[in-house]
Structures are given as structure tokens and as C-alpha cells.
Amino acid sequence: TMKTFDPEPVFEEYWHGYLFALTVHLNGSGHFSWVEWTERLGASLKKHGLDTSLNGGNDYFVAWLDALESFLTELNVTDQNDLVLLKEAWKKAYVNTPHGAPISLK
């Protein structure tokens, strides 16, 4: 008999996988239900002019990030100002890190 299995998700970019894992972690930690998440993601995809049949490329995960950020600010997990500061810190770290070296925040 053939063994069946669920394939592991494949991500085009590292940050797609990290974003997916963060969302699963926040769901598992009780910040929101998966039904709430899928409704939020669907609304974000629609807002971005995308549909749920996408293959999980960059445009899909930009909409995913937008959905997660707006959800977390509404749930008071974080606020928009903190998100802006964190994005700027990562951008600065990325620009100042030599190619091939791990990126980290100071």
C-alpha cells in the first residue's frame, strides 16, 4: 500500500515562511481563532485585488502581512507606531548587513 502524507508548505521567500509560522504561533497562543484569521486574510486579499487561488507568492504574503498587522493592532497586541519602528529597524539592519551574513537587530 502507498503511504499518503500532507506535503510541507513551500515558500518562495524566507520571510513568507516566518510570517506563516508567526501566524500559526499566534493562533496556537489563543490570540485569534483560525476562522477569524481566514476571514481576515480573505478580506485583505480582496482589498489587494487578489483571490485565494494564488500560489503563495510575494503578492499573497504582502496581503497576509497587511491582514496580520491590522488584526494585531485591533486586538491591542501591538500598535501601528511599534510596527513602523520595527520595520525601520529591520530595514536598517538589512541594509547594513554584509551579503550572506545573518541579519539581526541590535
Side-chain angles (χ1 to χ4, degrees), residues 68-84 86:
L68 187 59
E69 287 179 346
S70 69
F71 209 13
L72 293 177
T73 56
E74 286 179 27
L75 294 170
N76 293 318
V77 174
T78 189
D79 63 38
Q80 194 61 38
N81 188 51
D82 287 343
L83 290 173
V84 169
L86 187 58

Side-chain angles (χ1 to χ4, degrees), residues 13-83:
E13 303 284 341
Y14 285 120
W15 72 271
H16 300 169
Y18 288 125
L19 185 59
F20 178 84
L22 176 61
T23 305
V24 169
H25 173 74
L26 291 167
N27 165 256
S29 299
H31 290 283
F32 49 80
S33 73
W34 203 250
V35 170
E36 290 172 312
W37 168 249
T38 57
E39 289 172 355
R40 178 61 58 121
L41 178 58
S44 182
L45 290 170
K46 185 176 181 180
K47 180 180 108 180
H48 285 264
L50 307 171
D51 65 38
T52 56
S53 66
L54 292 170
N55 70 354
N58 204 54
D59 51 357
Y60 181 83
F61 280 99
V62 167
W64 184 300
L65 179 60
D66 183 49
L68 187 59
E69 287 179 346
S70 69
F71 209 13
L72 293 177
T73 56
E74 286 179 27
L75 294 170
N76 293 318
V77 174
T78 189
D79 63 38
Q80 194 61 38
N81 188 51
D82 287 343
L83 290 173

Side-chain angles (χ1 to χ4, degrees), residues 79-95:
D79 63 38
Q80 194 61 38
N81 188 51
D82 287 343
L83 290 173
V84 169
L85 293 173
L86 187 58
K87 284 181 186 180
E88 287 302 315
W90 275 109
K91 185 188 286 185
K92 189 178 287 185
Y94 173 78
V95 168

